[in-house]
Amino acid sequence: MERTAGRELALAPLQDWGQETEDGAVYSVSLRRQRSQRWSPGQGPGGGEVPRPAACDAFLHYRTSKVRALRAARLERLVRELVSGDRAQDPGFVPAFLATHRAFVPTARVLALLLPPPPPPLPPGWGILPRVEIKKTEGRDLSFNQNLRAVVSVLGSWLRDHPQDFRDPPAHSDLSSVRTFLGWAAPLGAEAREAEKLLGQLLEEAEHAQEEEAQPQARAGPPGAAQTPCAGCPEGCSQEEEGLVQEGPELLDFGVDEVAEQLTLLDVELFSRVRPCECLGSVWSQRDRPGAAGVAPTVRATVTQFNTVTGCVLGSVLGPPGLAAPQRAQRLEKWIRIAQRCRELRNFSSLRAILSALQSNPIYRLKRSWGAVSREPLSTFRKLSQIFSDENNHLSCREILSQEEATEGPQEEDTPLGSLPSKLPPGPVPYLGTFLTDLIMLDTALPDMLEGDLINFEKRRKEWEILARIQQLQRRCRSYCLSPHPPVLAALRAQRQLSEEQSYHVSRVIEPPAASCPSSPRVRRRISLTKRLSAKLSREKGSSPGGSPGDPSSPTSSLSPGSPPSSPRSKDPPPGSPPASPGPQVPSTKLPLSPDLPGPRPLALSLSGPCIPLLGQQGSEARVIRVSIDNDHGNLYRSILLTSQDKAPSVVQRALQKHNVAQPWAHDYQLFQVLPGDRELLIPDNANVFYAMSPAAPGDFMLRRKGGARHTNSVSPT
């Protein structure tokens, strides 16, 4: 039977075969099919002329080869794989290890296992040794030299791609160890020059920091920190102090293009400085713990900028309480046009920040202002809101970002900054919260350690896939050509910022509470509770999306256009109570870009690829849930992995630990499951939470002190 090449190539080139164990390490085994072509007898490639046989004279031949990838091993075996591993079979091992190793081992420990000691000096009688002894010594030297070249190659990649791993002021001992090794192993190589260059940069940065500390300067506070809501605000909103009133033009006095371009310039600079290793779930989830103020500084900077933009929108729209509805509508329309321009510039970070502020409760409830907005800007607002719809794990945003990346086509890593074709659009600048959410979900759903005290390196490979995409986007951001405009940047810094509570009170002063807001944009408030893993993490397809209040992955709720505001949480709460859905946490240090999920916790799971439970989706043995504490600090959630063996006291204790609350107080709290319709399900003490919870409802829980009163409809399991 004749087979066409097209039909043969339709088969999967790589097929999973299973796993095997060797020397205490676990490998995943795949079979790779590679096509080769054989000619009919007598038609070999010999001679000066290449034969061109007819289709009937040639047939297709496939060669199947075995491909192994290290899946789990002890640390010593992983480090040995850096040097002795087959990079042709497993090209992703070295970059994945270097990018993620800080999640499970410090850099100094890796260097202690990686760097070999210097070779012993030659014996005095080297020239008179017998020939057999010389050959044995040369054989050992050859093996030693091959090992050295592999170590030097790994160090070169490490110094080039992750220089911040060697920052250890003031002595930079890790970098000193590398320099000492390269000094005798490859003194004239590019790696030694790279180490010297890096040391010079680190010392120069330290000197610059010392000079700044030595020169006392009147440091201004954060943008808008000196300003407070003006007169007419309720109690708690003090008047601006004399001399602190903003001077010069306001931010909205500038053109749409100017504001959008300056926001993009700031976002590009901050995103380009992000260290991908700081985005790891095990790193980012530690940010709120005591003594962790310096964790992930580059990611914190992007969050601060995001919250600054959100605060600017709130401050400019709500700031002047005496404006008439048409005047306030003009401010809304201008911010919508700025958001549209950010979309054209492919700046999804500021786009998300502006939309989050416009969709927040303090602005969303202004029915008279929204009623005065023109039809065209309102339509633009709805279309832009669809980008960040929470349906299917924000699938729309992910697809649009992938399409924006594809428009540039392939780009070489070492492309000079000025050599990109002018016809290719720059960017895009992504919304970093999407990647942070995926990485934290990975850290929660997959264990760090497996049976036998083996490091789960398969988890690190999945993390590396996301980090590699961040690095690719950072390289593509080099093509932006934007110049700073100091007046716009000064106006951005001087823009008055409103806290969550202040913005809510100002909004109620502008328009007192009403029964409904029929003129507000028809954007239904749906705060997604179910933060789903990326599609690559689950082998199940077509999982149904879910929605419920309290999405911590954004500073405000993610709104879906096209539906009326029917959710009870979108209505005004009783007078004197805070809004049910918090707005952007501008002055807060709780960094609202992503949920804080538990860090590494050893679990004994099978290596055969277990089915990972999605958040908000119940599996046969486990489920990822989120727990908040009923207090005055907003809806701050912590996610934990709930198994079928967990009782209520252990769940309460683990949740309090994640919220940095003293665990001896665990007996003072009760656990409630949040149900649709503003209802709650009380989980009895000592009950099995996995079976007591409602499986049809999203996995959102709340801890409340016993005896605390709240006017909600509670139900008890029967």
Side-chain angles (χ1 to χ4, degrees), residues 150-381:
V151 174
V152 170
S153 176
V154 170
L155 291 176
S157 301
W158 201 346
L159 291 168
R160 181 179 61 255
D161 298 335
H162 308 281
Q164 296 301 326
D165 290 350
F166 301 95
R167 179 189 296 271
D168 185 22
H172 304 291
S173 56
D174 294 339
L175 185 57
S176 299
S177 301
V178 173
R179 291 176 60 244
T180 301
F181 167 76
L182 294 176
W184 62 265
L188 302 179
E191 295 80 7
R193 295 192 298 270
E194 189 71 25
E196 294 293 339
K197 178 182 176 182
L198 177 58
L199 180 61
Q201 292 176 352
L202 295 178
L203 294 178
E204 183 178 354
E205 291 178 3
E207 293 178 0
H208 184 67
Q210 291 178 356
E211 292 177 358
E212 288 185 348
E213 293 178 358
Q215 297 177 357
Q217 297 179 354
R219 298 182 179 271
Q227 292 90 359
T228 55
C230 50
C233 298
E235 185 178 357
C237 302
S238 59
Q239 195 173 10
E240 291 181 353
E241 299 180 6
E242 185 177 359
L244 296 180
V245 180
Q246 176 178 341
E247 298 180 358
E250 295 184 2
L251 185 61
L252 291 185
D253 293 337
F254 296 94
V256 170
D257 291 347
E258 291 178 304
V259 176
E261 289 176 1
Q262 295 308 298
L263 292 178
T264 303
L265 175 65
L266 295 175
D267 289 333
V268 168
E269 292 178 351
L270 292 174
F271 177 67
S272 300
R273 297 196 202 110
V274 168
R275 304 185 195 116
C277 64
E278 295 181 4
C279 300
L280 290 171
S282 59
V283 177
W284 179 238
S285 61
Q286 308 298 316
R287 65 192 183 278
D288 292 332
R289 295 194 173 183
V295 172
T298 61
V299 179
R300 287 178 184 266
T302 62
V303 177
T304 301
Q305 171 63 15
F306 185 98
N307 292 334
T308 298
V309 175
T310 304
C312 285
V313 179
L314 281 169
S316 61
V317 174
L318 300 175
L323 289 180
Q327 295 174 311
R328 207 174 304 278
Q330 292 178 359
R331 293 174 176 255
L332 292 173
E333 292 178 0
K334 187 156 189 177
W335 277 115
I336 293 173
R337 292 196 298 270
I338 293 174
Q340 174 62 24
R341 181 54 182 157
C342 288
R343 173 66 183 90
E344 295 170 357
L345 291 171
R346 300 170 32 143
N347 179 6
F348 291 92
S349 182
S350 287
L351 172 61
R352 177 68 181 267
I354 296 173
L355 294 178
S356 297
L358 295 178
Q359 295 166 349
S360 64
N361 197 19
I363 294 181
Y364 174 82
R365 60 175 299 277
L366 301 178
K367 61 176 183 179
R368 290 193 294 269
S369 300
W370 282 108
V373 175
S374 304
R375 180 178 301 177
E376 183 178 354
L378 202 57
S379 175
T380 302
F381 175 65

